[in-house]
């Protein structure tokens, strides 16, 4: 379930590399600038040094001028310029590197300047001396000089001239000559001056020689050259160094550039990958959902929209739990969140809900996205597996159905041979499974079908893909059974046939029960004669024939005083008597005419196609005559008579229903006439209508005349005989009519609406009595009241009931209302709401006469009821009637399983009570325990019960 989460490293070195690259380039640029500056400085410096060398040569030239006239301004210009250049060096940065050389150079320059200054003054003196000597020599020539003197003087002059001209002379000879001349001249003469001048010149000459030697000795120019060469050398070295450094920079820049390019390619690739991912996510069939750390949705893809039904805009910003269904418990989500918060991947299956409310099954994997050790988002990738799950469920269901169904199922291969089959099929046919493998359907064919029967079936399947119909198959023992066979073709994706499925439904039971049901639906189970439904259908059919020409007589026969026989000799005698009567009627009418038993002791005979009323009368007489013959039933000699009412078509009516009604009222007329006779319908004699009108009139004033009273029939626990409640039953005693049973007057009261007023009276009276009993110390669980649907239909019914309850002070829990089954099924939902209101007030609801006619076992569970009252009709024949026994037991079991209380009413014998008790029925009510009693008799009854217990 858990895997490592996604971890993203911040590996984007691209920017860092780019910054390094820019720094390197900037440094390179600055360095090149510096090189450029150094170069220019170097050039300047070299130019300055070369100029110094040039200027120095000019100064050296000054020394070579010796005794010639010198241009002093030019010399001053040169030295000034030199000074300027040296001063310039100081301000230059390069001076620092060559400071030593330059200060030495400068000191040499200073020496040279001084020497030049000295030389300048010597030069001017010697230049003058040369001219003076020359002038003196010319002036002393004639007068003073003679002989040796002259020769010596000339010699000296010549030698001096040679000296001036720079020719090497023998200074000893000159000195000798000078001494000789000195010895020859007298003091103060011109020649003496000459000699002095020559001596001074010679001295200066030596000084000059000394200067020149010193200048030479200073060697300023050599040093300059030396510095220059050093400079060049240093420069060359610098250049080399700078080249190396620049190359290094360049190399680095190139390297970083390379890295950048590599990185760039990576980034491009990553970008492309991201785009591809995005495209893939957008177009993925999987649902992709991204949330931030607060679990707010930040992204969903198109598949999300398709599978959940939500639009992107609807969910962005909201939490994924909008999809939550109530199908997963809290612990599930807690476990999921715990996993995610640990930074681990979560995988599992989710059951969510789509926007339309339908379930969405998802296989999900949710990963925290971790950047630099921190969870920044959650990525959920989910696969919609709803179809798969549903398919699985269907498969499971199919498998269960296959094994557990009542139907026999065969799966045939494409060759139409048995591949697999279920247990039900084996039970149906009683074959051994091994024998059936790869057998064709024809294997089960019975002789009821001809040889081409199955061929025709397969032909239809080939055309329509399916076939269904009734077939007869042979079981392993040769018994032929009717089957409803459904054959279906199963196609694969490519429309190729994969299988055939054959479903066998055994019709034997269906046919049997169908026939039985058909028979029972239309026949009376006691006499096996057609019943009321059959009769009605028969009449309908008969009168559908528009060309009905013959007379038709409808005869209603009711036995006189049958109830007495029934009550005194018991039901079984009554039943036998009814069978005998039906037999006797049949003996009269044969099978040409129609006879039905409508219920109780009522029969109807239809004479269809008689010619005259006389014939009809003859039949009537004969029937009455025949049934009144003495008969022996269960050793009892009995004679019964009947009253027959007759209506005729077309004389009285051409409508079947009217004819039936007329025959019925004619029957009453016959009874009025003293029984054991027959009467034809006559309008004025419609007693039925009369008596009804009578009852209506008298009922109107019954309340006023205090003719209505109440009886209370105890309801008791079957096992301990403890009275727990009472059912309230209304009684009407009229001066003219006597005691009119509620079954007779209540329908009329309902039809006329009088039941409403009577109903409130009963309700109030019963509540009052109950409270009186309570005051007298009687504690009963409840009082049960019968309500009619007409009462419930009153819009202010509940209000009135509340009023009565308040007035009498009875609590809701003490009241149970009994409603007949019919009411529940005729009820609209608003009326059911009313019942719920009743329950809210604390009242309980019982379903009365349960099991009569509405066969509502299956609906029972949906009704808002507390108690089920099993109808007397089911108790009557207990315990002899096994069918009723079964039904009663089923009703009790079902009601109990639904949590309802069960009351059995109409318990008349000890055996009935014992059987019901054994069947776990809770409560009973009936003549056996107590008849309905008036208020006071009821109290007395309780007392007797109490004393019995003691
Ligand atoms: P129900 O509600 O099913 O009442 C039970 C009927 O069975 C009563 O008949 C009662 O006397 C009768 N009974 C009780 N135990 C036995 C027994 O052991 N053997 C026999 N043979 N019968 C027994 P009753 O009083 O004639 O009432 C007939 C029907 O009239 C009632 O059937 C009920 O539907 C209706 N009814 C009676 N009183 C009222 C009433 O106050 N209001 C309304 N709306 N209907 C009422
Ligand atoms: Mg009742
Ligand atoms: Mg009842």
């Amino acid at each position: 379930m858990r895997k490592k989460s996604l971890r993203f490293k911040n590996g984007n070195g691209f920017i860092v590399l780019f910054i390094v690259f820019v720094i390197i380039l900037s440094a390179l640029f600055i360095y090149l600038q510096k090189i450029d500056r150094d170069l220019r400085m170097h050039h300047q410096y070299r130019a300055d040094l070369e100029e110094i060398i040039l200027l120095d040569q000019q100064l050296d030239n000054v020394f070579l001028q010796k005794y010639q006239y010198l241009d002093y301004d030019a010399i001053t210009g040169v030295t000034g310029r030199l000074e300027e250049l040296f001063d310039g060096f100081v301000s230059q940065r390069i001076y620092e590197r060559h400071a030593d050389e330059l200060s030495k150079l400068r000191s040499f320059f200073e020496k040279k300047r001084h020497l030049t200054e000295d030389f300048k003054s010597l030069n001017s003196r010697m230049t003058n001396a040369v001219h003076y000597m020359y002038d003196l020599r010319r002036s002393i020539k004639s007068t003073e000089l003679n002989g040796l003197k002259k020769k010596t003087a000339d010699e000296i002059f010549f030698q001096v001239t040679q000296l001036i001209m720079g020719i090497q002379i023998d200074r000893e000879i000159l000195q000798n000559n000078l001494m000789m001349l000195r010895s020859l001249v007298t003091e103060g003469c011109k020649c003496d001056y000459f000699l002095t001048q020559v001596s001074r010149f010679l001295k200066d000459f030596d000084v000059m020689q000394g200067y020149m030697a010193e200048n030479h000795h200073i060697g300023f120019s050599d040093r300059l050259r030396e510095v220059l060469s050093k400079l060049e050398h240093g420069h060359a070295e610098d250049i080399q160094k700078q080249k190396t450094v620049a190359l290094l920079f360049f190399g680095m820049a190139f390297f970083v550039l390379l890295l950048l390019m590599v990185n760039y390619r990576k980034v491009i690739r990553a970008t492309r990958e991201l785009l591809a991912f995005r495209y893939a996510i957008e177009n993925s069939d999987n649902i992709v959902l991204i949330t931030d750390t607060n679990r707010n949705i930040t992204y969903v893809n198109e598949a999300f929209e398709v599978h959940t039904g939500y639009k992107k805009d609807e969910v962005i910003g909201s939490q994924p739990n909008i999809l939550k269904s109530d199908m997963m418990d809290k612990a599930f989500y807690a476990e999921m969140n715990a996993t995610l918060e640990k930074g681990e991947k979560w995988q599992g299956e989710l059951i969510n809900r789509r926007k339309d409310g339908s379930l969405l099954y998802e296989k999900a994997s949710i990963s925290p996205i971790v950047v630099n050790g921190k969870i920044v988002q959650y990525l959920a990738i989910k696969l919609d597996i709803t179809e798969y799950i549903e398919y699985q469920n269907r498969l499971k269901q199919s498998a269960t159905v296959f094994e557990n169904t009542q139907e026999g199922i065969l799966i045939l291969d494409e060759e139409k041979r048995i591949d697999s089959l279920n247990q039900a099929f084996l039970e149906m046919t009683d074959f051994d499974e091994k024998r059936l493998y790869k057998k064709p359907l024809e294997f089960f064919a019975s002789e009821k079908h001809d040889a081409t029967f199955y061929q025709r079936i397969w032909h239809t399947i080939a055309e329509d893909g399916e076939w269904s119909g009734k077939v007869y198959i042979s079981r392993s023992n040769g018994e032929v059974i009717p089957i409803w066979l459904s054959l279906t073709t199963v196609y694969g994706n490519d429309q190729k046939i994969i299988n055939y499925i054959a479903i066998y439904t055994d019709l034997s039971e269906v046919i049997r029960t169908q026939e039985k049901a058909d028979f029972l639906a239309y026949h009376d189970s006691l006499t096996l004669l057609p019943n009321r439904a059959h009769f009605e259908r028969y009449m309908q059919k008969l009168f559908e024939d528009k060309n009905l020409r013959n007379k038709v007589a409808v005869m209603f026969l009711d036995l006189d005083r049958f109830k007495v026989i029934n009550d005194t000799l018991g039901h079984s005698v009554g039943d036998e008597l009814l069978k005998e009567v039906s037999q006797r009627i049949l003996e009269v009418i044969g099978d040409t005419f129609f006879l039905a038993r409508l219920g109780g002791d009522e029969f109807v005979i239809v004479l269809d196609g008689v010619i005259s009323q006389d014939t009809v009368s003859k039949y009537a007489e004969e029937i009455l005559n025949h049934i009144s013959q003495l008969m022996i039933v269960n050793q009892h000699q009995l004679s019964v008579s009947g009253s027959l009412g007759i209506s005729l078509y077309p004389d009285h009516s051409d409508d079947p229903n009217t004819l039936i009604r007329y025959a019925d009222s004619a029957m009453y007329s016959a009874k009025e006439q003293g029984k054991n006779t027959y009467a034809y319908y006559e309008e004025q004699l419609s007693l039925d209508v009369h008596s009804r009108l009578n009852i209506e009139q008298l009922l109107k004033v019954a309340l006023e005349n205090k003719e209505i009273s109440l009886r209370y029939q105890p309801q008791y626990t079957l096992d301990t005989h403890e009275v727990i409640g009472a059912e309230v039953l209304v009684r009407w005693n009229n001066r003219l009519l006597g005691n009119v049973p509620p079954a007779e007057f209540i329908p009329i009261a309902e039809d006329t609406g009088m039941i409403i007023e009577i109903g409130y009276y009963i309700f109030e009276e019963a509540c009052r009595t109950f409270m009186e009993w309570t005051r007298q110390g009687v504690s009963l669980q409840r009082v049960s009241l019968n309500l009619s649907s007409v009462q419930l239909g009153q819009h202010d019914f509940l209000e009135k009931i509340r009023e009565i309850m308040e007035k009498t002070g009875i609590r809701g829990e003490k009241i149970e209302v009994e409603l007949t089954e019919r009411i529940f099924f005729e009820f609209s939902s608003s009326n059911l709401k009313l019942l719920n209101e009743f329950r809210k007030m604390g009242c309980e609801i019982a379903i009365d006469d349960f099991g009569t006619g509405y066969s509502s076992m299956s609906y029972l569970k949906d009704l808002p009821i507390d108690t089920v009252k099993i109808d007397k009709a089911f108790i009557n024949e207990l315990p002899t009637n096994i069918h009723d026994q079964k039904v009663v037991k089923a009703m009790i079991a079902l009601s109990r399983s639904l949590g309802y209380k069960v009351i059995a009413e109409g318990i008349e014998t000890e055996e009935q009570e014992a059987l019901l008790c054994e069947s776990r029925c809770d409560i009973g009510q009936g003549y056996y325990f107590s008849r309905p009693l008036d208020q006071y008799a009821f109290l007395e009854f309780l007392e007797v019960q109490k004393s019995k217990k003691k």
Side-chain angles (χ1 to χ4, degrees), residues 452-463:
T452 60
F453 181 72
Y454 279 93
Q455 281 173 18
R456 288 202 305 272
I457 292 179
W458 287 119
H459 184 71
T460 311
I461 291 174
E463 290 203 332

Side-chain angles (χ1 to χ4, degrees), residues 848-849 871 905:
D848 203 356
D849 303 344
D871 193 64
E905 64 182 1

